[in-house]
Amino acid sequence: MLRNSDHSSEPDLLQLVAGGDEAAFATLFHNYRNKIYSIAYELSESHGVAEEIVQDVFLKMWQRRETLGEVQHFKAFLFTVTRNYVFSALKSMAQRKGLEQQAVAGMPTYYSDADNKLVQKEYAQILKKAVDSLPPKQKQVYLLVKEKGYTRNEAAAELQLSPETVKTHLAQAMRGIRASCLAQIDTLLLLLFLKYL
């Protein structure tokens, strides 16, 4: 998927980059930058995070440029590198904002309505499956606090637990949901790669 002005194939381009050719690397950057940005923005809904991911992905590629000449399936390689940085960013955002906001956040407007509804539904199913797989007490606490809006003290009174126990159950629930959702989001990320690359 080279620019029309480029007469070399992508394997040739990768060989040039592997040899340290900065112009070839700039062409590679031009070819894939917007696609990686779109995927990163779809999942993070943050321009800053998406830009960071683009920079990190291409920095990683430049640092590993000597190996690019051996890459047989560049898109699969790019998927793996991008996925790792997207997961890292999502984990960081989930810790800062709370996982449920990441799992059910509205998707960007350049999705078609049909695509948007499909992905929203998929995200909701991923979150529901993760919540349903929690141990009973963790699930009860999560549903009361995160879905019904109970305070920690209100949830403690409802469940006849101490507020500290509620806090512990909630923290454990969030960790479990985060791990489960991130594993399943891998599938969504692959679908986005198929859409954009």
Side-chain angles (χ1 to χ4, degrees):
M1 213 163 7
L2 300 178
R3 288 177 291 179
N4 292 335
S5 59
D6 296 318
H7 300 292
S8 57
S9 66
E10 189 161 89
D12 292 337
L13 184 65
L14 293 176
Q15 288 289 348
L16 290 170
V17 174
D21 187 318
E22 293 181 12
F25 184 73
T27 298
L28 197 67
F29 180 85
H30 173 83
N31 290 344
Y32 287 103
R33 179 212 179 277
N34 289 339
K35 293 164 187 173
I36 293 173
Y37 178 90
S38 295
I39 291 163
Y41 184 75
E42 290 257 14
L43 291 171
S44 69
E45 292 194 314
S46 166
H47 294 293
V49 169
E51 281 294 347
E52 250 181 63
I53 289 170
V54 170
Q55 290 172 13
D56 288 343
V57 165
F58 282 99
L59 176 62
K60 185 74 168 177
M61 272 198 279
W62 182 251
Q63 289 172 338
R64 296 178 57 184
R65 62 188 177 276
E66 295 86 0
T67 66
L68 289 180
E70 304 162 13
V71 173
Q72 298 294 316
H73 303 286
F74 181 68
K75 287 180 185 176
F77 168 80
L78 191 62
F79 166 77
T80 300
V81 175
T82 303
R83 178 191 60 189
N84 292 342
Y85 283 108
V86 167
F87 275 9
S88 177
L90 287 177
K91 284 177 187 176
S92 175
M93 291 174 71
Q95 288 167 354
R96 289 197 306 269
K97 297 182 180 179
L99 177 76
E100 71 285 351
Q101 293 173 329
Q102 297 304 309
V104 297
M107 300 305 284
T109 55
Y110 50 81
Y111 250 143
S112 71
D113 286 343
D115 283 343
N116 189 38
K117 287 175 184 174
L118 181 64
V119 174
Q120 287 276 21
K121 182 179 176 184
E122 186 70 24
Y123 268 119
Q125 287 175 347
I126 286 172
L127 180 61
K128 184 180 185 309
K129 186 175 178 183
V131 172
D132 287 344
S133 70
L134 291 172
K137 283 293 181 196
Q138 289 181 24
K139 182 178 177 181
Q140 285 179 314
V141 168
Y142 177 87
L143 292 175
L144 285 177
V145 174
K146 295 297 183 179
E147 294 195 4
K148 295 189 176 179
Y150 281 40
T151 66
R152 200 178 298 161
N153 288 338
E154 289 170 341
E158 176 78 15
L159 299 172
Q160 298 181 338
L161 300 170
S162 73
E164 197 58 36
T165 301
V166 167
K167 179 182 176 182
T168 301
H169 281 316
L170 185 60
Q172 290 171 341
M174 295 300 286
R175 279 196 298 273
I177 292 170
R178 183 179 300 121
S180 178
C181 284
L182 287 172
Q184 294 179 66
I185 286 171
D186 194 10
T187 302
L188 286 181
L189 183 57
L190 178 58
L191 292 175
L192 289 175
F193 257 76
L194 294 175
K195 180 183 176 85
Y196 284 106
L197 295 182

